[in-house]
């Protein structure tokens, strides 16, 4: 029996980085497009008039005259255990961790609790059109098991890791260098590359790991070809000063990780706001990526990410919501804040570049661009249908849009979870509004 399905709507996706090829060459747009999916894989994308004659005449085609199809969104930094503490008032990073985050994460020693939150977290991601995320668990091994079990049921392409943290945190949230190495290794052997799941070695950030723990994390990263490394870097001025005190022999914050062999093509560093030129250069040299987390950086008062600086040094960048420091699961709303962060630096973030960062750019940061991030034939069928009539304001504003760039920009400034009509993962509908 044929597994062919097709969706007819306006379609847009990026095929390259606008910085490298120019905005007009970075994307494909089909005003009346057709997306053809065979099972879990994209078979074709193009103009409806061109593709319709190639399909069986009796094939059912789902038509969305008010829809815009894009690749599924990619979130390169988020904490699932912080779902229930999103929107916590009044603190900057270090106090915020101690006041809100650590007590919340303590609950994840209970696998039943972890599974409940994981299911609600995934539902929220999919409701917002996010099909892949790089996710922090907690220090508890069961937090990652619960998360992967929930993902496996829906065949989602997700990356997660157990936090490694052996100092400067409450006793109920610390492990040891040996236990963090051993438990991470067991999780890798059980879950990494199982279906569409991947593992990320996850030291929380330099101040909560001893030299020995960071060294073992680097050793572990070297033991596997394609495991990820996920941590925080240069988020907050006080944090950066603390790192310098804790690691007096390091040249800078990034160097702490570098000395422990934690920079790699699969290493993703969240934030990277207060970096010096040599750190950008080293990130580029090692193929490491940065997750740009604007809602979090504004909410916790951390600072403004310098996107143009990352581009100058050819550092891969993806978007991160950083829930619960971030205030929205919506990548559309995250792009809204990203635009403002760039505006505050007297620059502009083009809507095609925004789409790139949220899709193909995120995929490149995660080294998954041959699987996800665009809609070319052979890619996995992870995509989103946006609704041009989702709200009265979107309806009236989009009716005036003169180009696909303008339409995208309107979605990215006025859109949120309501704009997501449907989310598909591996060809299956995982959210329908």
């Amino acid at each position: 029996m044929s597994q062919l399905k097709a969706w007819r709507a306006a379609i847009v996706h990026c095929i390259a980085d606008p910085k490298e090829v120019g905005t007009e060459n970075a994307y494909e747009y089909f005003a009346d497009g057709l997306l053809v999916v065979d099972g879990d894989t994209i078979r074709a994308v193009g103009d409806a008039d061109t593709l319709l004659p190639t399909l069986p005449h009796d094939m059912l085609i789902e038509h969305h005259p008010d829809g815009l199809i894009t690749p599924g969104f990619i979130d390169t930094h988020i904490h699932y255990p912080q779902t229930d503490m999103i929107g916590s008032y009044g603190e900057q990073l270090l106090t915020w961790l101690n006041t809100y985050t650590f007590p919340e994460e303590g609950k994840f020693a209970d696998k039943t609790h972890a599974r409940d939150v994981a299911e609600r977290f995934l539902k929220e991601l999919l409701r917002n059109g996010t099909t892949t995320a790089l996710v922090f668990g907690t220090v508890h091994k069961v937090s990652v098991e619960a998360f992967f079990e929930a993902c496996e049921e829906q065949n989602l392409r997700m990356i997660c890791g157990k936090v490694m943290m052996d100092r400067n945190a409450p006793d109920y949230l610390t492990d040891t260098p040996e236990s963090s190495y051993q438990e991470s290794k067991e999780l890798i052997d059980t879950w990494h590359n199982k279906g569409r799941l991947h593992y990320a070695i996850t030291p929380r950030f330099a101040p909560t790991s001893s030299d020995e723990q960071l060294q073992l994390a680097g050793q572990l990263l070297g033991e596997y070809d394609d495991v990820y490394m996920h941590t925080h870097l240069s988020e907050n001025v006080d944090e950066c000063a603390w790192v310098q005190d804790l690691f007096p022999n390091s040249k800078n914050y990034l160097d702490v990780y570098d000395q422990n062999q934690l920079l790699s093509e699969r290493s993703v560093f969240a934030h990277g706001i207060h970096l010096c030129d040599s750190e950008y250069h080293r990130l580029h040299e090692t193929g490491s990526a940065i997750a740009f987390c604007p809602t979090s950086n504004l909410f916790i008062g951390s600072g403004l990410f310098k996107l143009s600086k990352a581009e100058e040094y050819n550092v891969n960048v993806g978007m991160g919501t950083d829930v619960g420091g971030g205030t929205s699961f919506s990548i559309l709303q995250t792009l809204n804040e990203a635009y403002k962060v760039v505006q505050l630096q007297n620059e502009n973030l083009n809507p095609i570049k925004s789409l790139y960062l949220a899709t193909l750019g995120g995929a490149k940061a995660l080294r998954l661009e041959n699987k996800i991030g665009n809609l070319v034939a052979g890619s996995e069928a992870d995509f989103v249908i946006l609704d041009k009539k989702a709200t009265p304001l979107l309806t009236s504003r989009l009716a005036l849009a003169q180009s696909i760039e303008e339409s995208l920009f309107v979605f990215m400034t006025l859109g949120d979870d309501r704009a997501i009509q449907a989310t598909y993962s591996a060809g299956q509908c995982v959210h329908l509004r």
Side-chain angles (χ1 to χ4, degrees), residues 139-169:
V139 76
H140 314 100
K141 189 182 176 192
V142 291
S143 72
V144 178
E145 291 167 344
F147 179 76
F148 278 145
E149 285 165 14
C151 293
E152 194 178 31
E153 285 180 8
Q154 298 190 74
N155 192 25
L156 304 175
R157 188 165 285 290
M158 291 282 168
I159 311 165
C160 186
K162 179 201 112 65
V163 170
M164 304 170 84
M165 182 159 64
D166 68 342
R167 65 170 178 171
N168 294 324

Side-chain angles (χ1 to χ4, degrees), residues 5-249:
K5 299 181 207 164
W7 289 261
R8 185 174 185 171
I11 299 173
V12 64
H13 70 135
C14 287
I15 50 174
D17 185 345
K19 186 180 77 74
E20 290 169 9
V21 300
T23 300
E24 62 286 349
N25 299 317
Y27 71 100
E28 289 183 328
Y29 172 59
F30 308 101
D32 179 18
L34 200 69
L35 179 69
V36 185
V37 170
D38 190 354
D40 58 3
T41 307
I42 293 169
R43 178 157 143 180
V45 65
D47 287 309
D49 287 349
T50 309
L51 289 177
L52 283 169
T54 69
L55 299 176
H57 67 277
D58 56 350
M59 188 173 145
L60 279 176
I61 291 165
E62 207 175 287
H63 194 199
H64 294 273
D66 297 316
L68 174 64
I69 294 176
T70 73
F73 300 135
I74 296 169
D75 190 337
T76 58
H77 178 66
I78 188 167
H79 297 253
Y80 102 81
Q82 295 177 19
T83 301
D84 290 343
M85 50 155 290
I86 190 171
S88 292
Y89 172 76
E91 304 295 353
Q92 292 216 338
L93 177 65
L94 301 177
T95 323
W96 179 84
L97 282 172
N98 289 308
T99 310
Y100 298 117
T101 308
F102 291 155
E104 186 64 32
E105 292 192 3
K107 301 173 186 174
F108 285 76
D110 174 6
K111 190 172 180 182
T112 307
H113 176 78
R115 181 60 190 258
D116 168 58
V117 177
E119 285 173 3
R120 288 188 283 116
F121 168 86
L122 290 172
K123 189 175 271 190
E124 203 60 39
L125 280 186
L126 299 171
R127 230 163 53 75
N128 283 282
T130 299
T131 48
T132 292
L134 175 56
V135 182
F136 257 68
T138 65
V139 76
H140 314 100
K141 189 182 176 192
V142 291
S143 72
V144 178
E145 291 167 344
F147 179 76
F148 278 145
E149 285 165 14
C151 293
E152 194 178 31
E153 285 180 8
Q154 298 190 74
N155 192 25
L156 304 175
R157 188 165 285 290
M158 291 282 168
I159 311 165
C160 186
K162 179 201 112 65
V163 170
M164 304 170 84
M165 182 159 64
D166 68 342
R167 65 170 178 171
N168 294 324
D171 289 346
Y172 61 83
L173 272 187
T174 51
D175 53 16
T176 68
E178 296 74 23
S179 73
S180 66
Y181 171 87
Q182 196 51 47
E183 290 187 346
S184 299
K185 198 171 175 61
E186 287 163 12
L187 286 163
I188 292 168
D189 292 340
T190 305
W191 290 102
H192 184 58
N193 290 332
K194 186 179 183 191
R196 303 177 79 208
L197 303 173
H198 310 276
Y199 192 81
I201 295 160
T202 310
R204 181 178 218 105
F205 68 148
T208 50
S209 285
S210 62
D211 290 308
E212 192 188 348
Q213 186 168 60
L214 290 172
Q215 198 183 332
L216 281 174
Q219 183 185 319
L220 192 56
L221 186 62
E223 287 172 19
Y224 295 89
D225 286 341
D226 60 350
V227 161
Y228 291 89
M229 198 291 302
H230 184 200
T231 191
H232 299 88
L233 171 70
S234 289
E235 180 176 0
N236 167 284
V237 175
D238 291 343
E239 168 211 14
C240 294
W242 191 25
V243 169
Q244 211 52 65
D245 287 344
L246 289 169
F247 299 92
N249 297 326

Side-chain angles (χ1 to χ4, degrees), residues 255-323:
D255 192 45
V256 177
Y257 298 124
D258 206 357
Q259 287 179 17
N260 290 289
Q261 280 71 57
L262 288 167
L263 277 66
S264 77
E265 290 202 339
R266 288 173 181 268
S267 297
V268 180
F269 295 91
H271 310 299
I273 301 175
H274 310 283
L275 300 175
C276 61
D277 285 16
S278 65
E279 287 173 293
Y280 288 110
H281 176 67
R282 190 69 186 126
L283 287 165
H284 162 70
E285 219 172 34
T286 55
S288 303
I290 299 176
F292 174 15
C293 308
T295 80
S296 167
N297 298 157
L298 295 171
F299 183 72
I300 302 181
S302 301
L304 306 177
F305 176 67
K306 300 168 190 71
L307 180 60
S308 58
K309 202 79 174 159
E311 289 196 322
E312 184 190 326
Y313 283 91
N314 289 317
V315 177
N316 282 339
V317 176
M319 296 310 302
T321 59
D322 193 24
V323 165

Side-chain angles (χ1 to χ4, degrees), residues 364-393:
K364 283 188 174 170
L366 299 175
R367 306 290 169 178
L368 289 170
E369 68 271 28
N370 61 339
K371 297 182 188 297
I372 57 172
N374 62 19
L375 302 173
V376 298
S379 288
E380 295 173 356
D382 288 3
F383 62 95
V384 172
I385 304 173
L386 298 173
D387 179 8
K388 293 178 186 172
K389 295 190 170 171
T391 67
L393 192 58

